[in-house]
Amino acid sequence: MKANKTALAVAQQPLVDTFVQPSPTSDVMTVSNVNFNIQGVTVQNEEYTGTIHKNGDEVIGKNCTLTFNIYLRPPAGGAVPAANAYIPGRVLQAAKFTENRVSTAIPAAPEAIGAGPTTTSVTLGASAAATAGLYKGLLVSLNSIGASYPKRLTPIRSYSAGKVATLMETLGAAPSGNYQIPPQLAYQRSISETDPDPLSQSLWLDGLRFDLVNMRVSGLRINLPVSTRQQGAIPMLEVTMTGTIENSVDEATPAIPALGAVPKFRDGDLWIANKAVGGASLVFDFGLRTAAPPNPNKSDGSDAEELVESRTTITADLQKYRKAQFDTLALADAQAQHAVWAQYGMGPGTVVSVNAPDARLNYRSPNIGQDHVTETGDLFVDVFDRNVSIVFPF
């Protein structure tokens, strides 16, 4: 059996304990670094045997854990896909993200911004909705701030009923001219207490198919390494899922279409606390934890896994700056909220934008052992709706 003949298909499962067979054509998701772990659950047999020897453990059941990486690229096709059609988005929704589709630009043609723009905020024009929070975490295009499509995009940190969009960067000058909210597909963290649907999955290992039911995302990281002249790296989602084996059969592994090059984290933006900073990587860890309630009415003695905890942390490996440029010690002392924003890509349908509107800095120590002084440390994300967004503009 050849390891490269591996494939994974994913289907949303509206009902717990009811397996939904993923399609080997339309539901296949391109992944890498798959690790499938079947762990036996045992209990020691304490019965005396009249000798020094003891019986072997009792086998109670099994746990199933699946880990894999998804290279972080926008959906194919050059347009916002239909609801739930972006297959990696099904994994994000199972991790308490909400799919937000802006299928047509707002407005259809760029229109003039409102009065009183500043380097950190802009009032949107007549066609924008006057609904507080509506565009939070989404991207707005301001034609005066850049010469290229990605350079004109900037994320909205907050949005008021008066149509004031506060930005996650500090512009070189107050914007002028037109704005537009482009078509975009966004996955935005929800703090609702509604459990997301679990997933049904099929995993092929060179002709052997495992069907997995009640799969929950028990670990999720957005890993954004920077590609440099010295080292190339690929941004990705790092996923761990936990659930139950429904079935296994012999079946040929389906073919997986090539999706093209993955955008690299370079020639883009990395902003923290409205400051453009250099660094080697940015990692969003959602600190997910699942648990299965005991239930003797079920064949394995447990109900399906449920999400029971999430705690979001951002780890940033940055260049160290002098105090006058970027004083992370003072920022940690103050414990104020600051935006974190990363974006890369060359044009419509190739841009990836990840942001957290509000995060607090932990203290950071300088690292002196390499060619440059750097510092690595965390930012803590509190419980706000849309506190992390992944956005693909078109």
Side-chain angles (χ1 to χ4, degrees):
M1 298 176 70
K2 299 176 178 64
N4 204 50
K5 292 184 176 181
T6 297
L8 179 66
V10 179
Q12 289 175 311
Q13 182 187 310
L15 299 176
V16 173
D17 296 331
T18 303
F19 179 73
V20 177
Q21 184 69 64
S23 165
T25 54
S26 59
D27 291 329
V28 173
M29 179 173 64
T30 303
V31 297
S32 64
N33 296 335
V34 171
N35 184 14
F36 185 45
N37 185 16
I38 304 171
Q39 183 67 47
V41 179
T42 63
V43 63
Q44 192 170 23
N45 185 336
E46 298 289 359
E47 292 176 323
Y48 300 113
T49 63
T51 71
I52 63 169
H53 307 291
K54 299 185 74 68
N55 291 315
D57 291 355
E58 295 284 337
V59 178
I60 304 301
K62 58 186 178 294
N63 285 321
C64 163
T65 302
L66 179 67
T67 64
F68 53 90
N69 296 338
I70 305 170
Y71 289 159
L72 195 51
R73 56 159 66 83
V80 176
N84 300 325
Y86 180 55
I87 300 175
R90 300 174 189 176
V91 175
L92 292 171
Q93 290 182 76
K96 290 293 290 180
F97 283 78
T98 297
E99 185 178 79
N100 187 356
R101 299 170 59 253
V102 181
S103 55
T104 58
I106 304 170
E111 70 178 5
I113 62 174
T118 71
T119 57
T120 58
S121 67
V122 61
T123 300
L124 303 189
S127 297
T131 304
L134 181 62
Y135 304 129
K136 179 182 178 181
L138 299 182
L139 299 175
V140 61
S141 178
L142 303 174
N143 73 323
S144 69
I145 68 173
S148 65
Y149 174 85
K151 294 301 181 183
R152 291 192 291 268
L153 295 173
T154 187
I156 297 173
R157 183 182 182 191
S158 62
Y159 185 72
S160 74
K163 302 186 182 182
V164 176
T166 303
L167 309 178
M168 298 190 198
E169 66 173 311
T170 300
L171 305 175
S176 60
N178 293 334
Y179 83 94
Q180 189 178 44
I181 297 174
Q184 52 198 283
L185 176 67
Y187 291 91
Q188 301 185 288
R189 206 76 202 287
S190 169
I191 61 168
S192 73
E193 288 305 298
T194 302
D195 276 339
D197 287 339
L199 298 176
S200 292
Q201 297 178 304
S202 289
L203 173 67
W204 288 266
L205 303 176
D206 193 3
L208 172 60
R209 190 190 81 206
F210 289 93
D211 289 333
L212 311 175
V213 67
N214 296 333
M215 296 296 286
R216 292 286 188 187
V217 181
S218 54
L220 177 64
R221 300 199 326 159
I222 306 171
N223 189 351
L224 304 177
V226 176
S227 285
T228 70
R229 290 193 297 269
Q230 288 76 37
Q231 181 175 350
I234 300 179
M236 65 182 69
L237 301 175
E238 299 173 350
V239 183
T240 301
M241 303 200 69
T242 305
T244 303
I245 297 175
E246 172 79 2
N247 191 22
S248 63
V249 297
D250 287 334
E251 182 180 89
T253 301
I256 303 171
L259 296 179
V262 182
K264 311 305 186 294
F265 191 16
R266 62 186 181 190
D267 192 23
D269 294 277
L270 175 55
W271 289 74
I272 297 178
N274 283 67
K275 174 73 177 180
V277 293
S281 67
L282 193 66
V283 177
F284 293 71
D285 190 329
F286 295 95
L288 298 173
R289 188 165 62 85
T290 62
N295 187 342
N297 297 292
K298 297 299 178 66
S299 60
D300 62 359
S302 300
D303 279 324
E305 296 274 338
E306 298 176 353
L307 278 172
V308 296
E309 184 177 86
S310 174
R311 189 189 303 267
T312 303
T313 303
I314 304 171
T315 301
D317 184 354
L318 304 177
Q319 297 180 26
K320 180 65 178 173
Y321 291 89
R322 295 184 180 92
K323 183 174 181 176
Q325 294 173 290
F326 189 55
D327 189 352
T328 55
L329 182 62
L331 292 172
D333 281 339
Q335 284 298 288
Q337 303 284 353
H338 301 283
V340 179
W341 169 47
Q343 183 171 287
Y344 53 94
M346 301 304 294
T350 69
V351 170
V352 178
S353 189
V354 183
N355 67 70
D358 296 285
R360 296 176 287 106
L361 273 77
N362 194 7
Y363 293 102
R364 312 163 67 86
S365 298
N367 304 317
I368 312 172
Q370 303 297 323
D371 292 332
H372 301 95
V373 182
T374 63
E375 59 176 18
T376 301
D378 295 332
L379 297 98
F380 301 128
V381 180
D382 294 326
V383 180
F384 301 109
D385 198 42
R386 304 190 185 193
N387 60 7
V388 175
S389 296
I390 306 172
V391 188
F392 306 113
F394 293 89

